[in-house]
Amino acid sequence: MKHLIIYPIIALLIISCKSNVSLDNTNDDDIYELVWADEFDYSGLPDTSKWGYDTEGNDAGWGNYEAQYYTAADIDNAKVENGVLHITAIKEKFGNKAYTSARLISKSNWKYGRIEVSAKLPIAPGTWSAIWMMPGNWSFNDGGWPDIGEIDIMEHVGHNMGVVHASAHSKDYQWQKGNQKTAIIKVEDINTKFHSYTLDWSDEKLEISVDDSTYFTYKNEGLGESKWPFNKPFYVILNLAVGGAWGGIVENELFPQTMEIDYIRVYQKK
């Protein structure tokens, strides 16, 4: 999991129900339409037509020495209730891990567009919440990271409460080299209010915002794949990690902890 831009005027139209949403720009070339969404207007496990579970990196600690085991289709770790997806990290032994949680991956992937996720995040030390994207058909066991690219729409760790990170990783720009493209923003009520975390993605740039306030921009320098591997379809990942290289020291008595998702919507140009 590893600059202020002035947008044209965008109107959000909600017609009859939340799933019929379109973003209309004053420029005809920039008209967007909703192409995929999950409003979580059902109960039980996440919709299997839209979501799968990523468990491939459990034994390796996902490369970050994380303390959780991601389960598959376990309602204690991933459930939809009262119109909200709950991803819950629990203090319980599973395999060789001391915690369980869930890592959901969208079964669809997209090239360019607007990806918007409304989320409420846990703030306990040791929690590591993430909304991010990886290239379609990529597998944890395939390797190739970070050359293939990674887009982090939102990352938050409990030991740095309220500080939200956006990042982009590539072969030349990555956290191991300390030169990844990244920015932060402070969100005071991150755990008590749903906020909109949004990626606007084109062949020219990545822009990431919180509640329509853009704080991260990475422009395509036109210098090739090693700097801009974001010209192919990516899928969405929603997960709550525990501990690890960035999550840090875990306060066991504060668990379980839950990351809540109100909706996820994907728009593309018509």
Side-chain angles (χ1 to χ4, degrees):
M1 292 174 291
K2 292 282 127 248
H3 324 28
L4 183 62
I5 300 297
I6 301 176
Y7 280 120
I9 298 174
I10 296 176
L12 178 64
L13 303 177
I14 301 179
I15 305 172
S16 75
C17 68
K18 288 196 293 183
S19 61
N20 293 324
V21 181
S22 65
L23 289 172
D24 289 332
N25 196 285
T26 54
N27 185 335
D28 287 343
D29 293 335
D30 291 330
I31 295 176
Y32 283 78
E33 63 180 346
L34 187 72
V35 296
W36 188 94
D38 198 338
E39 303 291 338
F40 302 111
D41 50 359
Y42 53 91
S43 296
L45 289 169
D47 185 346
T48 55
S49 71
K50 296 179 177 180
W51 300 102
Y53 302 87
D54 193 357
T55 61
E56 285 185 336
N58 277 326
D59 292 337
W62 299 95
N64 299 305
Y65 311 105
E66 296 165 30
Q68 82 289 331
Y69 187 102
Y70 287 129
T71 61
D74 188 329
I75 203 163
D76 291 333
N77 297 123
K79 70 176 177 180
V80 178
E81 187 175 54
N82 298 322
V84 175
L85 168 65
H86 299 76
I87 298 178
T88 301
I90 301 171
K91 177 71 174 73
E92 60 177 348
K93 185 172 177 57
F94 197 104
N96 62 344
K97 303 294 182 179
Y99 301 83
T100 60
S101 187
R103 174 165 161 146
L104 272 63
I105 54 176
S106 66
K107 290 185 174 180
S108 297
N109 51 70
W110 308 271
K111 179 181 177 182
Y112 309 143
R114 164 171 282 204
I115 293 87
E116 180 183 1
V117 183
S118 176
K120 187 191 299 183
L121 309 176
I123 59 173
T127 57
W128 179 357
S129 307
I131 301 167
W132 53 302
M133 302 184 75
M134 291 291 288
N137 299 319
W138 179 80
S139 165
F140 181 88
N141 292 326
D142 290 341
W145 185 95
D147 300 14
I148 56 173
E150 174 183 326
I151 304 171
D152 299 322
I153 301 173
M154 184 288 302
E155 289 187 284
H156 176 266
V157 288
H159 62 74
N160 198 8
M161 184 176 63
V163 177
V164 171
H165 299 250
S167 304
H169 300 271
S170 63
K171 181 178 180 179
D172 290 344
Y173 299 134
Q174 53 175 285
W175 71 266
Q176 292 98 325
K177 296 180 179 179
N179 66 348
Q180 75 271 28
K181 300 298 182 178
T182 190
I184 62 173
I185 189 172
K186 182 71 173 179
V187 183
E188 296 293 342
D189 51 359
I190 200 167
N191 65 316
T192 59
K193 180 181 176 182
F194 284 98
H195 293 276
S196 174
Y197 301 94
T198 304
L199 165 69
D200 283 289
W201 171 26
S202 70
D203 60 347
E204 297 178 348
K205 60 188 173 182
L206 304 173
E207 291 183 333
I208 295 177
S209 61
V210 176
D211 299 331
D212 296 322
S213 177
T214 302
Y215 70 101
F216 171 82
T217 299
Y218 173 35
K219 294 183 179 180
N220 184 354
E221 302 165 297
L223 298 176
E225 183 84 4
S226 66
K227 290 180 170 60
W228 182 267
F230 309 113
N231 53 359
K232 52 184 175 275
F234 277 59
Y235 61 88
V236 172
I237 307 170
L238 309 173
N239 69 282
L240 175 56
V242 180
W246 196 21
I249 298 173
V250 184
E251 295 189 13
N252 294 330
E253 67 276 10
L254 298 179
F255 280 72
Q257 289 288 316
T258 299
M259 172 183 177
E260 300 178 53
I261 307 293
D262 185 30
Y263 62 80
I264 173 170
R265 298 169 184 162
V266 179
Y267 306 89
Q268 289 187 317
K269 289 184 180 181
K270 292 185 179 179

